[in-house]
């Protein structure tokens, strides 16, 4: 399809495109003369030029006719195309070199020439036009040939179209009047510039294109400097600006790539371990970028203002360590648990003050806090979805599986990024096995018992894994229950194990389950890429269970704290009242100064938000420790032992049992995803968490890169990751959504603590927004807001969205259907073509069998024999249509069809002849004929 | 930054940037790689377009290509003399096409060239067999190889001339999910 379409386009271009070069060619001629003179120059390039040129001279005549012929028969033969292509390239090159030569000779001269030409440009170009037109036609055709070759490059094409359109206007102008020279020249230059940029995507021998481009740049420069009569200065300015812009763009581009961190590190990893491992690191890098932005928000809009403009440490109770904690506040163990000074620092929610505005800037911290907390989710959602959409577009149209299994295996299975002998060995092995597998598959398409066995095994594996998941879920539930019981007892009676039971069990499960799943998954015998996805999904479920149990436990704690807080609040209020009444009765005055206790001594509530924040931070830190320790012990130590004990061990450690570790992609990806979920959830309660996470990602980038390069070995079955790692993104999106739920729930329903955090004193956290709307914004916005939140308005909006969703869904289904239909059509056309070509050789198995069934073993010779075919016909139709994998099945269909169509009175035949096997009477009589069969019969030329 | 390097002129760098998918930094890095292959051969000054070629033995020993079963073909296709001896331009050319940024069509074109062992602009059976044997290090039996080749032609040969033309090849390969190189 595309080539043909292009063809038309090219023809159009050609109609118009002569003048494009007509002007060039003037200079070309001169240049040619000159370069002829200079041919003796002992430069390699020059020699080449001359070679080319001689070719050129010979060919110059030929292509014209050729080209014309080609137009008549656009798809004559591929060889022609190829030739044309080569020649066009050569020609381009020689053109370029000629121009270059001209330039080399002397700039003044060429400039002079040019000026001359410009003045008499009209004349020259017109004079040359007649002859050159022909040549240009050749050119155009060659271009066309090139396009047809399928090296279609949209930009290029566009560019050509542009240039052609411009040149069309140009030609009009030319024929109209001579006074339009300026505009004409402008067009020429524009074109040249276009050409210069278009050559960004050349096909062969870049060096020639380098020359070409240099030349063009020079031309451009000269002509640009010369300018035109009227708007000369403006024009020169424009040209200059355009150049500057291009330069700036390029510099910016350079700068941007220079800013992408760890490019080389990742490439290193990629070359050693294949793209699947590298995909993890790319994901990690992406995550780092995202977190950096989140950190920017959090730090710039919340933390920094509070530190700079808020009250300093020690001024109010929420920013002071309480008296009873002060002796231990700087102890390492306390700090390590994020108690003591850490707890009352800007890392956590409780530190922030609830003043509506602060500092000179009147910064509304509470509002900003809420908006940033929600905005983090919004931004992450946007970014994730945008990335997913982009990835989906990139890897879009590779839909039809199974059509080209072998071809793809043959041509695309090598991972060109591999640069490590070990990996290469593995890759060779895996390619061989995959070929063997598909050969076996192909050979016995229906190996029933195997399929059943495999299905059984897969079901079994899934059942086992479900059992594991259920068991682990129950275990966690059980442990959490027990820990709640323990919590009511006194801490002294509890052993260390009992205290840390939950964490212990959770990390144990996290350690044991994934390898267990992996072992079970071997039963399933999937392709590693699919297996990876399954594995990811399963571990995901496990982690999710853990996370949500953790959350529920946390909610219990929060509720308990809320209870306690209520009583403390009542107490403090009562105390305050007491104090006020005492004071007023004692001093007999109504203006009572606030009680001046030291901020460290004030009674305060438990501040549940800070508690939650601390839990999350602890979780992150312990997660980080576990990860790093696992790498250190599981990979590094193992590698060291295997490497050095191997000298004095009874069996080969490297090849035998422990060997080196493989990089665990699924585990690492999931770790990253869940870590991010934790960050999203915790960021609202602990603004410092995002910064911590940035540090963590940074270190783990270096650490893991080092670990993977120094102590891991490539996977046994190296496989390529598809570049669009939308699967990871999908997981991330799910986790984002899941972590959004609890945070929004707390924001909307739970009352904030009364004495700490930016929302203290409010009924609900979102009251801050309401307050702002009421007090700071004009009234009508408040009105609008009330209307907008009215259920009467929201319901229709939701309905509308649902409808839109439905409509879009239906639309996409329609497109899909159309797509499938088109594909079918293409397939049919292809089959038809195929049949026409090889209907002589009977390669088809089905047909052979059929032939064997026939009484006298041959179909071809006697047309009288044509009664039997119809029953076979049905089979053939089935064969050719249903399994796309063997289109060859239709191989001999044509004969039959032809025979059928030859034998017009046929339909009666089969009826008398007993419909036989089970072809079905409807099938052979009418079925196939209206189907593709008829088309095929008609399509056959004979 | 701009004044540090004297290997290329600014124009040369610009031109290279126009012609490849590389940024300036990458071009310089590639030049270093090129030079590292044979420091005694490659001059440090490219402003005057010195005529330097590195023999295939050196090119093929680069880590990027060392383990590639098609390294010889790659070098041959991209080298100007067709024998794998590369100038810097060929070298840049090669890496530009092999780089991530190159469009699929361009890659498909060169991939076709690479797989086309006998340079007849078609992938015929012998080409396919060679490809397959290189990919699997001759571990398949002859029957298997023949079968796979037939299959490939059967699948991808749209115009049914028993061999794959460039069009066939592009049709097939541009849709492949794995075709990124």
């Amino acid at each position: 399809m595309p080539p043909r379409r292009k063809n038309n386009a090219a023809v159009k271009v050609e109609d118009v495109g002569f003048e494009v070069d007509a002007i060039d060619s003037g200079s070309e001629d001169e240049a040619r003369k000159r370069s002829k003179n200079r041919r003796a120059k002992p430069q390699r390039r020059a020699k080449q030029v001359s070679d080319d040129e001689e070719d050129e001279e010979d060919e110059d005549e030929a292509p014209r006719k050729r080209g014309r012929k080609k137009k008549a028969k656009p798809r004559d033969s591929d060889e022609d195309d190829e030739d044309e292509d080569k020649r066009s390239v050569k020609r381009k090159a020689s053109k370029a070199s000629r121009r270059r030569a001209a330039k080399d000779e002397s700039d003044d001269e060429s400039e002079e020439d040019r000026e001359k030409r410009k003045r008499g440009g009209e004349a020259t170009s017109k004079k040359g036009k007649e002859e050159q037109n022909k040549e240009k036609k050749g050119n155009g055709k060659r271009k066309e040939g090139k396009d047809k070759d399928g090296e279609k490059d949209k930009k290029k094409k566009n560019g050509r179209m542009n240039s052609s359109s411009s040149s069309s206007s140009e030609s009009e102008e030319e024929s109209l009047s001579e006074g339009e020279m300026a505009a004409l020249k402008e067009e020429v230059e524009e074109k040249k510039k276009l050409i210069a940029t278009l050559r960004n995507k050349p096909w062969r021998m870049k060096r020639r294109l380098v020359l070409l481009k240099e030349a063009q740049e020079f031309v451009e420069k000269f002509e640009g400097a010369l300018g035109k009569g009227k708007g000369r200065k403006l024009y020169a300015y424009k040209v200059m600006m355009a150049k500057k812009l291009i330069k700036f763009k390029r510099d910016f581009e350079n700068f941007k790539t220079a800013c992408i961190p760890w490019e080389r590190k990742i490439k290193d990893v990629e070359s050693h371990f294949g793209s699947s491992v590298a995909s993890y690191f790319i994901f990690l890098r992406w995550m780092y970028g995202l977190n950096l932005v989140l950190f920017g928000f959090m730090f710039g809009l919340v933390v920094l203002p509070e530190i700079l403009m808020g009250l300093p440490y020690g001024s109010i109770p929420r920013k002071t360590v309480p008296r009873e904690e002060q002796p231990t506040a700087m102890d390492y163990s306390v700090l390590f648990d994020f108690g003591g000074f850490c707890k009352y620092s800007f890392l956590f929610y409780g530190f922030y003050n609830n003043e509506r505005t602060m500092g000179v800037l009147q910064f509304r911290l509470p509002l900003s806090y809420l908006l940033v907390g929600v905005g983090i989710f919004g931004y992450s959602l946007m970014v994730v979805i945008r990335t997913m959409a982009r990835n989906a577009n990139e890897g879009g149209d590779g839909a039809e599986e199974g059509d080209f299994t072998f071809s793809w295996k043959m041509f695309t299975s090598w991972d060109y990024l591999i640069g490590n002998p070990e990996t290469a060995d593995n890759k060779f092995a895996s390619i061989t096995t995959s070929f063997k597998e598909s050969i076996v598959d192909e050979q016995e398409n229906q190996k029933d018992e195997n399929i059943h066995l495999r299905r059984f095994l897969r079901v079994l594996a899934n059942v086992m894994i479900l059992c594991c998941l259920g068991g682990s879920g129950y275990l966690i539930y059980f442990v959490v229950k027990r820990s709640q019981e323990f919590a009511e007892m006194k801490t002294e009676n509890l052993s260390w194990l009992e205290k840390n039971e939950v964490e212990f069990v959770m990390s144990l499960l996290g350690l044991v389950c994934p390898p267990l799943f992996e072992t079970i998954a071997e039963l399933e015998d999937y392709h590693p890429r699919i297996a990876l996805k399954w594995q990811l999904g399963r571990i995901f479920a496990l982690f999710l269970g853990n996370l949500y149990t953790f959350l529920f436990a946390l909610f219990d704690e929060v509720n308990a704290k809320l209870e306690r807080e209520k009583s403390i609040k009542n107490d403090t209020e009562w105390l305050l009242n007491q104090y006020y009444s005492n004071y007023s009765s004692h001093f007999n005055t109504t203006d009572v100064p606030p009680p001046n206790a030291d901020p460290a001594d004030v009674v305060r509530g438990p501040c549940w938000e800070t508690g939650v924040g601390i839990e999350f931070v602890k979780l992150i830190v312990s997660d980080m420790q576990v990860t790093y320790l696992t790498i250190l012990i599981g990979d590094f130590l193992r590698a060291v032992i295997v490497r050095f004990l191997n000298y004095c061990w009874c069996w080969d450690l490297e090849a035998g049992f422990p060997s080196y570790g493989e990089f665990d992609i699924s585990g690492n990806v999931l770790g990253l995803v869940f870590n991010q979920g934790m960050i999203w959830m915790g960021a609202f309660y602990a603004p410092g968490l995002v910064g911590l996470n940035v540090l963590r990602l940074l270190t783990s980038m270096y650490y893991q890169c080092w670990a993977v390069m120094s102590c891991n070995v490539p996977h046994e079955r190296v496989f390529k990751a598809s570049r669009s790692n939308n699967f990871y993104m999908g997981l991330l999106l799910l986790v984002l959504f899941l972590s959004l739920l609890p945070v929004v729930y707390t924001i909307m329903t739970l009352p904030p603590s009364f004495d700490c955090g930016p929302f203290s004193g409010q009924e609900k956290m979102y009251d801050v927004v309401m307050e702002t709307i009421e007090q700071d914004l004009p009234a009508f916005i408040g009105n609008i807001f009330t209307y907008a939140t009215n259920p009467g308005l929201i319901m229709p909006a939701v309905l509308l969205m649902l409808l839109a969703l439905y409509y879009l869904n239906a639309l996409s289904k329609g497109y899909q259907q159309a797509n499938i239909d088109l594909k079918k059509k293409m397939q049919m056309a292809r089959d038809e073509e195929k049949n026409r070509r090889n209907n002589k050789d009977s390669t088809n198995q089905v047909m052979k069998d059929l032939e064997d069934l026939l009484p006298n073993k041959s179909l071809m010779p006697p047309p009288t024999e044509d009664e039997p075919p119809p029953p076979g016909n049905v089979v053939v139709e089935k064969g050719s249509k249903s399994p796309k994998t063997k289109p060859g099945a239709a191989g001999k269909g044509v004969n039959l069809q032809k025979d059928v169509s030859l034998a017009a009175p046929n339909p009666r035949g089969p009826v008398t002849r007993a419909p036989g096997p089970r072809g079905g009477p409807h099938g052979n009589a009418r079925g196939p004929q209206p189907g593709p069969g008829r088309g095929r019969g008609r399509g056959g030329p004979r | 930054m701009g004044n540090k390097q004297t290997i290329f002129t600014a124009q040369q760098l610009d031109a290279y940037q126009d012609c490849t998918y590389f940024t300036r930094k990458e071009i310089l890095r590639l030049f270093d790689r090129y030079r590292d292959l044979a420091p005694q051969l490659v001059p440090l000054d490219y402003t005057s377009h010195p005529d330097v070629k590195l023999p295939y033995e050196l090119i093929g020993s680069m880590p990027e290509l060392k383990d590639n079963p098609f390294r010889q073909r790659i070098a041959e296709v991209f080298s100007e003399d067709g024998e794998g001896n590369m100038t810097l331009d060929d070298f840049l050319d090669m890496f530009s096409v092999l780089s991530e940024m190159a469009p699929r069509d361009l890659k498909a074109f060169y991939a076709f060239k690479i797989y086309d062992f006998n340079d007849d602009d078609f992938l015929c059976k012998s080409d396919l067999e060679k490809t397959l044997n290189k990919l699997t290090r001759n571990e398949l039996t002859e029957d298997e190889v023949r079968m796979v080749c037939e299959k490939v032609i059967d699948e991808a040969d749209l115009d049914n001339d028993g061999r794959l033309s460039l069009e066939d090849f592009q049709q097939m390969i541009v849709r492949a999910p794995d075709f990124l190189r």
Side-chain angles (χ1 to χ4, degrees), chain A residues 1-3 44-45 48 75 78-79 81-82 85-86 100 148-153 196 199-210 213-214 217 221 247 250 253-254 257-258 263-264 267 270 397-414 416-421 424-425 428 431-432 435-436 439 442-443 529 720-723 826 830 833-835 837-838 885-888, chain B residues 11-12 14-26 29 49-51 63-64 66-70 74 77-80 87 89-90 93 96-98 100 103-107 109-110 113-115 120-123 128-129 131-132 134-137 139-140 144-145 147-149 151-161 163-167 169-181:
Chain A
M1 280 278 285
R44 182 173 46 104
R45 209 161 281 138
Q48 207 149 7
R75 301 192 65 207
D78 295 326
E79 265 168 77
D81 287 358
E82 204 57 31
D85 176 29
K86 268 182 204 152
R100 190 186 152 70
K148 224 183 346 175
D149 253 0
E151 302 145 12
K152 52 233 155 180
D153 177 5
R199 293 302 139 95
N200 272 346
K201 313 200 169 178
W203 306 122
R204 352 175 90 249
M205 290 309 136
K206 233 141 258 187
R207 181 154 62 54
R208 290 169 181 182
L209 283 162
V210 171
K213 207 185 41 46
E214 277 175 5
E217 266 170 7
K221 216 180 270 168
K247 178 135 178 47
R250 171 164 298 157
E253 208 58 27
N254 287 350
T257 44
E263 193 65 35
R264 289 189 79 169
K267 284 275 175 285
E270 201 164 24
D397 48 321
E400 54 215 285
E401 299 267 319
D403 240 10
F404 297 118
T405 36
F406 276 98
S407 320
W408 286 351
K409 269 212 182 90
M410 166 119 51
F411 296 121
T412 68
S413 53
W414 186 258
Y416 279 77
L417 300 163
I418 291 174
N420 179 23
D425 283 346
F428 277 123
I431 288 175
T432 310
F435 264 118
K436 283 198 169 142
I439 286 171
E442 194 63 28
Q443 271 167 354
R529 203 178 326 171
K720 272 193 280 188
S722 50
R723 177 182 287 175
M826 271 173 73
R830 208 181 127 186
E833 182 91 358
K834 237 177 206 184
N835 292 335
R837 295 226 188 187
N838 54 349
T885 45
K886 39 172 199 171
Chain B
Q11 285 96 334
Q12 271 177 313
D14 270 347
Y16 279 135
Q17 284 187 41
D18 273 339
C19 287
T20 62
Y21 298 95
F22 295 123
T23 61
R24 162 203 166 90
K25 199 174 126 195
E26 286 164 329
R29 201 191 292 157
H49 300 279
D51 180 15
E64 281 82 358
K66 202 174 63 207
D67 299 303
N68 196 316
F70 305 112
I74 293 178
V77 165
F78 284 100
S79 63
E80 207 176 347
T87 61
D89 294 317
D90 297 335
D93 197 10
S96 163
V97 172
L98 291 175
E100 289 176 5
R104 282 176 161 221
D105 293 310
L106 183 60
K107 289 191 175 200
F109 176 76
Y110 275 106
K113 285 252 158 246
I114 288 167
Y115 292 129
D120 63 350
D121 297 320
F122 283 98
L123 297 184
L128 294 181
E129 273 164 23
T131 310
L132 194 58
K134 286 211 185 248
L135 262 185
T136 57
R137 286 186 178 162
E139 297 210 1
L140 295 181
E144 284 171 328
V145 169
M147 201 197 124
V148 170
C149 293
K151 274 280 158 204
V152 168
I153 286 182
D154 193 42
E155 283 169 357
D157 184 17
L158 297 181
D159 51 10
N160 258 57
D161 48 1
R163 48 194 191 169
L164 304 186
S165 64
L166 181 61
E167 276 173 49
F169 187 74
Q170 285 184 329
Q171 270 280 329
M172 178 265 300
I173 208 152
V174 168
R175 273 182 247 154
D178 283 346
F179 184 62
L180 30 107
R181 302 184 32 178

Side-chain angles (χ1 to χ4, degrees), chain A residues 99 122 145 179 199 238 252 347 398 495 577 608 623 704 753 821 872 890 912 916:
Chain A
R99 255 179 245 163
E122 195 69 82
R199 293 302 139 95
K238 257 193 206 159
F252 186 67
L347 285 179
S495 65
N577 279 340
W608 62 267
D623 183 46
Q704 285 194 306
S753 307
D821 285 349
T912 60

Side-chain angles (χ1 to χ4, degrees), chain A residues 699-720:
Chain A
T699 48
S700 76
M701 187 81 198
Y702 286 104
Y703 184 56
Q704 285 194 306
C705 264
W706 164 78
V708 87
M709 289 300 275
S710 62
C711 36
N712 281 357
V713 289
H715 286 251
E716 237 169 76
R717 288 183 75 180
V718 185
F719 61 94
K720 272 193 280 188

Side-chain angles (χ1 to χ4, degrees), chain A residues 273-312:
Chain A
F273 295 89
S275 45
S276 55
V277 174
S279 76
Y280 164 73
F281 285 98
I282 290 169
F283 186 56
L284 180 61
R285 186 175 63 184
W286 184 86
M287 208 69 122
Y288 178 73
L290 174 70
N291 273 288
L292 219 52
V293 175
L294 296 189
F295 176 69
F297 276 140
M298 207 45 154
F299 198 73
L301 291 176
V302 173
V303 178
L304 217 55
E306 177 72 30
I307 292 175
L308 291 182
M309 299 186 282
L311 297 165

Side-chain angles (χ1 to χ4, degrees), chain A residues 10 19 31 44 64 91 107 111 120 150 175 265 268 459 471 563 628 637 650 673 705 763 807 856 862 887 932 936:
Chain A
E19 279 76 24
R44 182 173 46 104
R64 275 177 231 161
R91 156 170 275 248
D107 282 359
E111 200 169 332
S175 57
K265 258 187 181 341
D268 258 7
V459 170
E563 290 293 311
Y628 287 3
L637 215 61
C650 28
V673 167
C705 264
E763 280 290 299
Y807 171 72
N856 51 1
R936 206 170 282 150

